[in-house]
Amino acid sequence: MLRRRRSRIVYRIRGLVPGKTAVVKCYGNWRDAVPERNIMRAYGQDRRLVRLYAWRVWGGRGYLIMEYVPGPTVNELVRKMGPLPPERVVALASDVLKGVEALHRRGIIHGDLHGDNVIVTDLARGKTKIIDFQHAVKMDRSGTARARRTLPIPPPHLAPETRQRRIDPRYDIYGVGFLCATMLAGEAARTQAQLRRWLANDSPLWRVIAVALDPDPENRFPSAAAMRRALRAAN
């Protein structure tokens, strides 16, 4: 078993998919698995997005059978290595943003981007894989989406809009900003006060991160592509 979260258990299994190691995410109620299944079907295949192989219902439970992705999560990586060099942060974040662009083109907001939901598949070449789409949602014609959760006091890795019901693609921009802060600081901020102290740094890269983490989504980068350009210019 890889991990357990409330009504969900994640296993790593060999032989279920011929010639491959697979990850199986089990939901206690099969209906709870349907939104994540639909999102994974909608985005199809992209190198930066974990692939869905199959979906099964058995005994009232729902099973998502997906690609096993070797490598540490970003949080595991910084626990081992500490702060990453700015050029490495930019390379990894740029790859994540390309995955975010692919999602947004398909009308999908990930809704939970942070250091446990991004796996570093190749640190030297800056390659990543985005996982865990249980909070992902489809945008409607307005370019916004009804979030799958609301929290009156969001943790630092979630944008302030988490208090509300509607989110848009800039929600993911905040998530990538938090991911950058985690890599650059060598740890995930535990409080908003800690995050604000980091953002007081006036280096070019921290200034980019501060824009991504602005509490007002109107002041963030308007797109993943815009943030990628800003990261390259700051490096």
Side-chain angles (χ1 to χ4, degrees):
M1 184 173 71
L2 292 179
R3 55 182 168 166
R4 179 192 294 268
R5 289 184 181 175
R6 295 184 183 177
S7 61
R8 304 175 307 281
I9 305 174
V10 180
Y11 301 93
R12 186 173 68 190
I13 298 177
R14 291 182 61 85
L16 191 62
V17 177
K20 298 181 183 294
T21 298
V23 167
V24 179
K25 190 179 205 177
C26 172
Y27 280 80
N29 185 320
W30 70 269
R31 293 177 181 84
D32 295 335
V34 170
E36 186 170 11
R37 177 206 67 180
N38 291 346
I39 289 291
M40 296 184 77
R41 283 178 171 176
Y43 67 64
Q45 295 187 34
D46 185 285
R47 175 184 69 74
R48 300 170 184 89
L49 308 173
V50 66
R51 179 182 175 189
L52 179 68
Y53 290 139
W55 136 264
R56 298 286 185 269
V57 176
W58 185 75
R61 296 182 173 88
Y63 297 86
L64 300 175
I65 303 167
M66 64 190 83
E67 171 188 16
Y68 166 65
V69 184
T73 65
V74 166
N75 281 350
E76 290 169 341
L77 183 68
V78 298
R79 279 196 292 269
K80 179 180 179 181
M81 298 185 64
L84 300 184
E87 62 274 13
R88 196 67 69 199
V89 173
V90 169
L92 292 171
S94 295
D95 200 59
V96 173
L97 285 163
K98 288 179 182 178
V100 170
E101 284 182 70
L103 287 174
H104 292 176
R105 280 197 303 271
R106 292 166 174 82
I108 298 167
I109 300 169
H110 183 278
D112 198 26
L113 284 172
H114 53 77
D116 283 331
N117 287 340
V118 174
I119 293 176
V120 178
T121 58
D122 189 330
L123 179 59
R125 294 194 290 171
K127 290 189 175 183
T128 62
K129 185 90 71 171
I130 299 172
I131 63 171
D132 201 344
F133 289 84
Q134 85 175 62
H135 293 293
V137 285
K138 288 279 286 183
M139 289 181 264
D140 58 27
R141 292 180 180 178
S142 72
T144 68
R146 182 178 173 85
R148 290 184 54 78
R149 64 179 166 188
T150 59
L151 295 171
I153 305 177
H157 69 269
L158 295 179
E161 310 89 281
T162 308
R163 301 185 183 97
Q164 307 161 8
R165 182 54 70 180
R166 304 295 297 186
I167 60 175
D168 68 22
R170 293 169 298 185
Y171 193 89
D172 286 342
I173 298 300
Y174 184 100
V176 180
F178 188 87
L179 192 71
C180 289
T182 298
M183 292 189 287
L184 201 55
E187 63 175 321
R190 294 176 174 84
T191 66
Q192 289 291 350
Q194 183 182 27
L195 192 56
R196 286 194 297 271
R197 286 196 298 272
W198 294 348
L199 295 178
N201 188 310
D202 197 39
S203 73
L205 185 51
W206 275 113
R207 288 199 295 269
V208 171
I209 294 170
V211 173
L213 289 173
D214 196 291
D216 184 349
E218 293 293 333
N219 295 331
R220 292 178 207 147
F221 297 104
S223 67
M227 185 174 176
R228 274 201 303 118
R229 290 192 294 270
L231 285 171
R232 286 200 301 268
N235 189 23

